[in-house]
Amino acid sequence: MSYYKLISGQNIVGVVSLDNFRRYQAKHGIVLFSDIDTAQYVEFRGVYYRDDWLKATTTDRIQYEDVSIISIDETEYNALIEAFETNDEIEIEPTEEPIDNTIPQDENEQVTLEFVRDAKIAQMSKICHDTIVNGIDVVLSDGESHHFSLEIEDQIKIQALALKAQNGESTLFWHEDDMPCKFYSANDILAIYTALEKIQTIETTWFNSLKMYIMSMETIEQISAVTYRTEIPEEYQSEVLKYLLSQQDGE
């Protein structure tokens, strides 16, 4: 068995084995277990992660975080699993030099095009993530608008509730922001889930096309001027994004 730790910046955000590798099956629109040679993602506690050495993605529907996936031995794997289970802090000898993500401050140091591009893409990825997590406003059957935050745990719970609603269950309880749990009708749960799917699809698709646009830029000045809602030229818009934008124009 092989084991890996997931590193984002200076933080270990997960630990996985070969059982955690996944790939997307377009035919049925689902994520499947995968061997390492065909894997596009790894999954840890319901969150998908990617490193550049995995197979290229084939869909905009899967939200993921970019990390470094580093091979470790079983001893370190077991120690990290225990730390995640107990929320304890443990010290592990680093196997690589710390990654310096700071922008050089010495005026004699050269800030390369690649450095600025990577930093901008990372910034846009975080904005995409935060936009989804900040949540949705949904008008429910009472005629009022309710706000629901969408942390990863919230997304998983809402998806599970929607499945129950589709299967005919009626005991469905959840909560809007800063409010206690209460019972919701199946129609209200499905309305929340539809809004969840919509924001996930729109924001993830937008970011992926924006990333392609940034990758095409050839000057630091161009890249530095990009904001999350920078207009994306049509040639860098995915077919899915073009469709979503046309749907918005028709609303």
Side-chain angles (χ1 to χ4, degrees), residues 9 35 69 77 199:
D35 59 46
I69 303 177
Y77 171 84
I199 193 173

Side-chain angles (χ1 to χ4, degrees), residues 60-91:
D60 293 330
R61 292 182 61 84
I62 306 301
Q63 181 186 350
Y64 63 84
E65 298 181 22
D66 289 310
V67 295
S68 296
I69 303 177
I70 308 297
S71 179
I72 57 175
D73 60 27
E74 185 175 6
T75 299
E76 186 172 357
Y77 171 84
N78 289 333
L80 285 172
I81 282 290
E82 182 179 354
F84 277 107
E85 292 296 331
T86 61
N87 293 318
D88 289 338
E89 293 186 1
I90 61 173
E91 294 185 0

Side-chain angles (χ1 to χ4, degrees), residues 136 138-141 185-196:
I136 47 179
V138 187
V139 177
L140 299 179
S141 57
S185 68
N187 286 339
D188 280 347
I189 288 294
L190 292 174
I192 297 167
Y193 177 63
T194 298
L196 160 63

Side-chain angles (χ1 to χ4, degrees), residues 53-145:
W53 59 266
L54 294 172
K55 285 283 188 180
T57 58
T58 56
T59 179
D60 293 330
R61 292 182 61 84
I62 306 301
Q63 181 186 350
Y64 63 84
E65 298 181 22
D66 289 310
V67 295
S68 296
I69 303 177
I70 308 297
S71 179
I72 57 175
D73 60 27
E74 185 175 6
T75 299
E76 186 172 357
Y77 171 84
N78 289 333
L80 285 172
I81 282 290
E82 182 179 354
F84 277 107
E85 292 296 331
T86 61
N87 293 318
D88 289 338
E89 293 186 1
I90 61 173
E91 294 185 0
I92 297 176
E93 290 296 323
T95 57
E96 62 279 325
E97 291 297 320
I99 301 172
D100 184 4
N101 288 322
T102 60
I103 297 177
Q105 299 298 313
D106 189 331
E107 62 181 8
N108 294 318
E109 291 191 63
Q110 182 181 9
V111 179
T112 66
L113 179 67
E114 182 180 2
F115 180 91
V116 175
R117 181 186 290 126
D118 290 347
K120 178 62 71 172
I121 290 172
Q123 180 189 32
M124 296 300 101
S125 178
K126 184 178 187 305
I127 294 174
C128 175
H129 173 267
D130 291 347
T131 300
I132 295 171
V133 166
N134 286 341
I136 47 179
D137 294 306
V138 187
V139 177
L140 299 179
S141 57
D142 61 2
E144 300 291 332
S145 179

